[in-house]
PDB file of all heavy atoms in Angstrom:
ATOM      1  N   TRP A 109     -37.542  39.800  -4.500  1.00  0.00           N
ATOM      2  CA  TRP A 109     -37.840  38.369  -4.579  1.00  0.00           C
ATOM      3  C   TRP A 109     -36.752  37.616  -3.829  1.00  0.00           C
ATOM      4  O   TRP A 109     -35.711  38.165  -3.501  1.00  0.00           O
ATOM      5  CB  TRP A 109     -37.948  37.914  -6.012  1.00  0.00           C
ATOM      6  CG  TRP A 109     -36.665  37.883  -6.809  1.00  0.00           C
ATOM      7  CD1 TRP A 109     -35.924  36.775  -7.074  1.00  0.00           C
ATOM      8  CD2 TRP A 109     -35.980  38.984  -7.394  1.00  0.00           C
ATOM      9  NE1 TRP A 109     -34.820  37.119  -7.815  1.00  0.00           N
ATOM     10  CE2 TRP A 109     -34.836  38.471  -8.032  1.00  0.00           C
ATOM     11  CE3 TRP A 109     -36.229  40.364  -7.462  1.00  0.00           C
ATOM     12  CZ2 TRP A 109     -33.928  39.269  -8.712  1.00  0.00           C
ATOM     13  CZ3 TRP A 109     -35.330  41.181  -8.133  1.00  0.00           C
ATOM     14  CH2 TRP A 109     -34.185  40.646  -8.749  1.00  0.00           C
ATOM     15  N   GLU A 110     -37.039  36.348  -3.545  1.00  0.00           N
ATOM     16  CA  GLU A 110     -36.115  35.539  -2.777  1.00  0.00           C
ATOM     17  C   GLU A 110     -35.531  34.406  -3.622  1.00  0.00           C
ATOM     18  O   GLU A 110     -36.207  33.845  -4.481  1.00  0.00           O
ATOM     19  CB  GLU A 110     -36.788  34.944  -1.545  1.00  0.00           C
ATOM     20  CG  GLU A 110     -36.996  35.996  -0.453  1.00  0.00           C
ATOM     21  CD  GLU A 110     -37.339  35.383   0.864  1.00  0.00           C
ATOM     22  OE1 GLU A 110     -37.991  34.324   0.886  1.00  0.00           O
ATOM     23  OE2 GLU A 110     -36.969  35.972   1.895  1.00  0.00           O
ATOM     24  N   VAL A 111     -34.272  34.128  -3.367  1.00  0.00           N
ATOM     25  CA  VAL A 111     -33.576  33.099  -4.130  1.00  0.00           C
ATOM     26  C   VAL A 111     -33.043  32.059  -3.111  1.00  0.00           C
ATOM     27  O   VAL A 111     -32.296  32.456  -2.189  1.00  0.00           O
ATOM     28  CB  VAL A 111     -32.392  33.702  -4.917  1.00  0.00           C
ATOM     29  CG1 VAL A 111     -31.623  32.614  -5.655  1.00  0.00           C
ATOM     30  CG2 VAL A 111     -32.884  34.770  -5.891  1.00  0.00           C
ATOM     31  N   PRO A 112     -33.431  30.796  -3.279  1.00  0.00           N
ATOM     32  CA  PRO A 112     -32.958  29.781  -2.323  1.00  0.00           C
ATOM     33  C   PRO A 112     -31.486  29.438  -2.525  1.00  0.00           C
ATOM     34  O   PRO A 112     -30.916  29.636  -3.606  1.00  0.00           O
ATOM     35  CB  PRO A 112     -33.861  28.574  -2.590  1.00  0.00           C
ATOM     36  CG  PRO A 112     -34.419  28.793  -3.939  1.00  0.00           C
ATOM     37  CD  PRO A 112     -34.363  30.263  -4.256  1.00  0.00           C
ATOM     38  N   PHE A 113     -30.908  28.909  -1.470  1.00  0.00           N
ATOM     39  CA  PHE A 113     -29.486  28.504  -1.469  1.00  0.00           C
ATOM     40  C   PHE A 113     -29.070  27.732  -2.716  1.00  0.00           C
ATOM     41  O   PHE A 113     -28.093  28.085  -3.352  1.00  0.00           O
ATOM     42  CB  PHE A 113     -29.266  27.622  -0.197  1.00  0.00           C
ATOM     43  CG  PHE A 113     -27.898  27.005  -0.108  1.00  0.00           C
ATOM     44  CD1 PHE A 113     -26.832  27.742   0.389  1.00  0.00           C
ATOM     45  CD2 PHE A 113     -27.685  25.689  -0.498  1.00  0.00           C
ATOM     46  CE1 PHE A 113     -25.583  27.154   0.498  1.00  0.00           C
ATOM     47  CE2 PHE A 113     -26.447  25.098  -0.381  1.00  0.00           C
ATOM     48  CZ  PHE A 113     -25.387  25.849   0.099  1.00  0.00           C
ATOM     49  N   GLU A 114     -29.829  26.690  -3.067  1.00  0.00           N
ATOM     50  CA  GLU A 114     -29.456  25.819  -4.184  1.00  0.00           C
ATOM     51  C   GLU A 114     -29.295  26.654  -5.454  1.00  0.00           C
ATOM     52  O   GLU A 114     -28.405  26.396  -6.255  1.00  0.00           O
ATOM     53  CB  GLU A 114     -30.481  24.708  -4.361  1.00  0.00           C
ATOM     54  CG  GLU A 114     -30.431  23.619  -3.326  1.00  0.00           C
ATOM     55  CD  GLU A 114     -30.991  24.028  -1.977  1.00  0.00           C
ATOM     56  OE1 GLU A 114     -31.642  25.112  -1.887  1.00  0.00           O
ATOM     57  OE2 GLU A 114     -30.738  23.315  -0.971  1.00  0.00           O
ATOM     58  N   THR A 115     -30.202  27.590  -5.676  1.00  0.00           N
ATOM     59  CA  THR A 115     -30.134  28.432  -6.897  1.00  0.00           C
ATOM     60  C   THR A 115     -28.950  29.366  -6.822  1.00  0.00           C
ATOM     61  O   THR A 115     -28.262  29.577  -7.833  1.00  0.00           O
ATOM     62  CB  THR A 115     -31.434  29.251  -7.035  1.00  0.00           C
ATOM     63  OG1 THR A 115     -32.552  28.362  -6.944  1.00  0.00           O
ATOM     64  CG2 THR A 115     -31.486  29.960  -8.351  1.00  0.00           C
ATOM     65  N   MET A 116     -28.702  29.935  -5.645  1.00  0.00           N
ATOM     66  CA  MET A 116     -27.559  30.861  -5.512  1.00  0.00           C
ATOM     67  C   MET A 116     -26.263  30.141  -5.860  1.00  0.00           C
ATOM     68  O   MET A 116     -25.349  30.722  -6.425  1.00  0.00           O
ATOM     69  CB  MET A 116     -27.461  31.339  -4.052  1.00  0.00           C
ATOM     70  CG  MET A 116     -28.442  32.402  -3.660  1.00  0.00           C
ATOM     71  SD  MET A 116     -28.297  33.939  -4.638  1.00  0.00           S
ATOM     72  CE  MET A 116     -26.592  34.380  -4.348  1.00  0.00           C
ATOM     73  N   ILE A 117     -26.179  28.866  -5.495  1.00  0.00           N
ATOM     74  CA  ILE A 117     -24.962  28.102  -5.734  1.00  0.00           C
ATOM     75  C   ILE A 117     -24.823  27.724  -7.234  1.00  0.00           C
ATOM     76  O   ILE A 117     -23.763  27.839  -7.835  1.00  0.00           O
ATOM     77  CB  ILE A 117     -24.927  26.810  -4.887  1.00  0.00           C
ATOM     78  CG1 ILE A 117     -24.954  27.173  -3.419  1.00  0.00           C
ATOM     79  CG2 ILE A 117     -23.690  25.981  -5.177  1.00  0.00           C
ATOM     80  CD1 ILE A 117     -23.956  28.182  -2.967  1.00  0.00           C
ATOM     81  N   SER A 118     -25.953  27.280  -7.803  1.00  0.00           N
ATOM     82  CA  SER A 118     -25.886  26.764  -9.183  1.00  0.00           C
ATOM     83  C   SER A 118     -25.987  27.885 -10.212  1.00  0.00           C
ATOM     84  O   SER A 118     -25.255  27.898 -11.190  1.00  0.00           O
ATOM     85  CB  SER A 118     -26.958  25.717  -9.432  1.00  0.00           C
ATOM     86  OG  SER A 118     -28.220  26.292  -9.197  1.00  0.00           O
ATOM     87  N   ALA A 119     -26.895  28.825 -10.002  1.00  0.00           N
ATOM     88  CA  ALA A 119     -27.100  29.889 -10.996  1.00  0.00           C
ATOM     89  C   ALA A 119     -27.657  31.145 -10.352  1.00  0.00           C
ATOM     90  O   ALA A 119     -28.850  31.372 -10.324  1.00  0.00           O
ATOM     91  CB  ALA A 119     -28.063  29.402 -12.096  1.00  0.00           C
ATOM     92  N   PRO A 120     -26.766  31.981  -9.787  1.00  0.00           N
ATOM     93  CA  PRO A 120     -27.254  33.224  -9.139  1.00  0.00           C
ATOM     94  C   PRO A 120     -28.014  34.058 -10.149  1.00  0.00           C
ATOM     95  O   PRO A 120     -27.664  34.051 -11.355  1.00  0.00           O
ATOM     96  CB  PRO A 120     -25.946  33.933  -8.725  1.00  0.00           C
ATOM     97  CG  PRO A 120     -24.876  32.935  -8.818  1.00  0.00           C
ATOM     98  CD  PRO A 120     -25.331  31.842  -9.732  1.00  0.00           C
ATOM     99  N   PRO A 121     -29.065  34.772  -9.727  1.00  0.00           N
ATOM    100  CA  PRO A 121     -29.898  35.530 -10.651  1.00  0.00           C
ATOM    101  C   PRO A 121     -29.135  36.679 -11.322  1.00  0.00           C
ATOM    102  O   PRO A 121     -28.252  37.272 -10.701  1.00  0.00           O
ATOM    103  CB  PRO A 121     -31.004  36.078  -9.771  1.00  0.00           C
ATOM    104  CG  PRO A 121     -30.403  36.128  -8.406  1.00  0.00           C
ATOM    105  CD  PRO A 121     -29.431  34.964  -8.329  1.00  0.00           C
ATOM    106  N   GLU A 122     -29.482  36.948 -12.545  1.00  0.00           N
ATOM    107  CA  GLU A 122     -28.828  38.041 -13.272  1.00  0.00           C
ATOM    108  C   GLU A 122     -29.842  39.085 -13.676  1.00  0.00           C
ATOM    109  O   GLU A 122     -29.482  40.225 -14.015  1.00  0.00           O
ATOM    110  CB  GLU A 122     -28.104  37.512 -14.510  1.00  0.00           C
ATOM    111  CG  GLU A 122     -26.946  36.605 -14.115  1.00  0.00           C
ATOM    112  CD  GLU A 122     -26.091  36.157 -15.268  1.00  0.00           C
ATOM    113  OE1 GLU A 122     -26.487  36.403 -16.435  1.00  0.00           O
ATOM    114  OE2 GLU A 122     -25.041  35.550 -15.014  1.00  0.00           O
ATOM    115  N   ASN A 123     -31.122  38.738 -13.635  1.00  0.00           N
ATOM    116  CA  ASN A 123     -32.150  39.665 -14.024  1.00  0.00           C
ATOM    117  C   ASN A 123     -33.315  39.587 -13.048  1.00  0.00           C
ATOM    118  O   ASN A 123     -33.537  38.573 -12.402  1.00  0.00           O
ATOM    119  CB  ASN A 123     -32.725  39.314 -15.416  1.00  0.00           C
ATOM    120  CG  ASN A 123     -31.631  39.317 -16.496  1.00  0.00           C
ATOM    121  OD1 ASN A 123     -30.976  38.302 -16.706  1.00  0.00           O
ATOM    122  ND2 ASN A 123     -31.422  40.440 -17.102  1.00  0.00           N
ATOM    123  N   CYS A 124     -34.060  40.689 -12.977  1.00  0.00           N
ATOM    124  CA  CYS A 124     -35.283  40.691 -12.175  1.00  0.00           C
ATOM    125  C   CYS A 124     -36.289  39.792 -12.873  1.00  0.00           C
ATOM    126  O   CYS A 124     -36.503  39.933 -14.068  1.00  0.00           O
ATOM    127  CB  CYS A 124     -35.812  42.121 -12.061  1.00  0.00           C
ATOM    128  SG  CYS A 124     -37.464  42.180 -11.325  1.00  0.00           S
TER     129      CYS A 124
END
Side-chain angles (χ1 to χ4, degrees):
W109 71 102
E110 284 194 328
V111 179
F113 174 82
E114 286 74 13
T115 308
M116 283 300 302
I117 299 309
S118 58
E122 295 185 352
N123 302 87
C124 170

